[in-house]
Amino acid sequence: RALGRFNSVERLKSLRKPVLVISGENDTTVPLQEQQVLVDAIPGARHVIIPRAGHAVSVEGVELFNKTLLTFLSEIG
């Protein structure tokens, strides 16, 4: 229950580091609308949606996930 009540959205606006949110298009655990709230709350955050992937996006969309992550890390690096 504590996890369900936990809300850190107000604290996200204080982040000052590059942030990448990678979502699976078919995530039913954390719907895209809720993930967008996270992205909108973090200044300058990037959001990439991996097609045909669910909540296990790093496994279900492994090639695009890895390419996206490596590109992001090289850009901020």
Side-chain angles (χ1 to χ4, degrees), residues 19 42 47 72:
V19 174
I42 301 170
H47 191 196
F72 175 76

Side-chain angles (χ1 to χ4, degrees), residues 2-77:
L3 183 58
R5 290 190 302 260
F6 181 75
N7 187 340
S8 62
V9 172
E10 283 301 312
R11 297 178 67 195
L12 296 175
K13 62 185 170 194
S14 67
L15 292 174
R16 297 293 179 251
K17 300 289 182 187
V19 174
L20 173 65
V21 177
I22 301 177
S23 305
E25 174 184 40
N26 300 321
D27 189 337
T28 57
T29 303
V30 182
L32 289 177
Q33 300 89 325
E34 291 181 32
Q35 294 183 51
Q36 189 61 50
V37 170
L38 174 75
V39 173
D40 292 343
I42 301 170
R46 296 186 210 177
H47 191 196
V48 175
I49 300 170
I50 305 294
R52 297 176 302 284
H55 190 68
V57 64
S58 62
V59 175
E60 298 169 2
V62 66
E63 286 187 32
L64 187 52
F65 178 91
N66 287 341
K67 180 180 177 185
T68 301
L69 181 57
L70 290 172
T71 298
F72 175 76
L73 292 173
S74 70
E75 291 173 359
I76 66 167

